[in-house]
Amino acid sequence: MKKYISVIVFACCFSVSSYAQTSIKPGFRAGVNFARFSDTDFDFKSNFYVGGFVAIKLSRFYSLQPEINYSAQGAKADFSNLSDVGHAPSDISVNYLSFGVLNKFTFTDEFSLMAGPAIDFETYSNVNTNSGIDLSLTAGLGYTLPFGLTIEGRAKFGIIDVLESDDYNNSNNFVDDWNTNVVLQLGVSYSFDAKGTTK
């Protein structure tokens, strides 16, 4: 019996110790998107993203970070030398409300590495799309300044065919049949203390 009591006491102490090291910090992020579609001759289009997150620090080196972001994406194309593309717009906009969960690894007080999946719901588009939903994978790096502001760089890759390529069919094969979102993001984020400790 004493053996079982010792095990229970140890487990309780371990749980309390783990909780004491947990912190919950809400925050916001914003910056610039550079977006295009894969397997096309389209150029990158610059636009913006803005969102919020909750960083749940589970250990000294690891945090789980759910996010909600609004991301304005798309691409730009030059049709000046093409006569058989039709009436499809050359300035393409496909915007999303994105729900993601990032795994964030903090190696020092300044540098962090993040990666995780997201599901994106289309909110606006000026072209025909194959689906109102996109699934994406994100990877990025962060550098936190002494006063708490973090500079972030991310790459976001969709895995669902988004663009209705029939609208751009032409004799020059301007697009292929499978066109996914490709987004590079550069911006800042900032988090606020909400609960727990940061040990």
Side-chain angles (χ1 to χ4, degrees), residues 37 45 47 73-75 89 91-95 124-127 129:
F37 298 104
K45 175 182 179 178
N47 218 314
Q73 301 171 195
D91 189 344
I92 304 168
S93 294
V94 185
N95 302 342
Y124 170 78
S125 175
N126 67 345
V127 295
T129 57

Side-chain angles (χ1 to χ4, degrees), residues 102-168:
L102 288 183
N103 300 281
K104 188 174 182 179
F105 303 91
T106 305
F107 301 105
T108 68
D109 291 337
E110 295 84 17
F111 289 98
S112 59
L113 174 68
M114 61 200 81
I119 180 169
D120 302 343
F121 295 92
E122 184 182 309
T123 60
Y124 170 78
S125 175
N126 67 345
V127 295
N128 294 323
T129 57
N130 289 319
S131 174
I133 296 176
D134 191 22
L135 299 176
S136 58
L137 299 173
T138 298
L141 295 170
Y143 180 82
T144 302
L145 300 172
F147 52 89
L149 189 71
T150 299
I151 301 172
E152 292 184 343
R154 298 185 182 183
K156 180 179 178 181
F157 301 99
I159 59 177
I160 291 180
D161 182 20
V162 173
L163 191 63
E164 180 52 72
S165 56
D166 289 344
D167 292 346
Y168 293 92

Side-chain angles (χ1 to χ4, degrees), residues 29-37 43-49 71-74 137-140 152-158 180-187:
R29 58 187 303 267
V32 180
N33 279 340
F34 301 95
R36 66 184 299 270
F37 298 104
D43 295 324
F44 280 97
K45 175 182 179 178
S46 59
N47 218 314
F48 75 96
Y49 70 87
S71 184
Q73 301 171 195
L137 299 173
T138 298
E152 292 184 343
R154 298 185 182 183
K156 180 179 178 181
F157 301 99
T180 61
N181 284 305
V182 178
V183 186
L184 304 179
Q185 296 183 333
L186 181 62

Side-chain angles (χ1 to χ4, degrees), residues 71-93:
S71 184
Q73 301 171 195
K76 283 194 172 183
D78 182 5
F79 296 150
S80 59
N81 295 322
L82 302 177
S83 60
D84 55 348
V85 171
H87 300 288
S90 59
D91 189 344
I92 304 168
S93 294

Side-chain angles (χ1 to χ4, degrees), residues 62-80:
Y62 174 73
S63 298
L64 192 66
Q65 186 167 297
E67 296 184 350
I68 301 177
N69 299 293
Y70 182 81
S71 184
Q73 301 171 195
K76 283 194 172 183
D78 182 5
F79 296 150
S80 59

Side-chain angles (χ1 to χ4, degrees), residues 23-27 53-58 63-66 104 191:
S23 67
I24 300 175
K25 294 183 178 182
F53 62 87
V54 177
I56 306 170
K57 191 169 186 178
L58 301 176
S63 298
L64 192 66
Q65 186 167 297
K104 188 174 182 179
S191 60

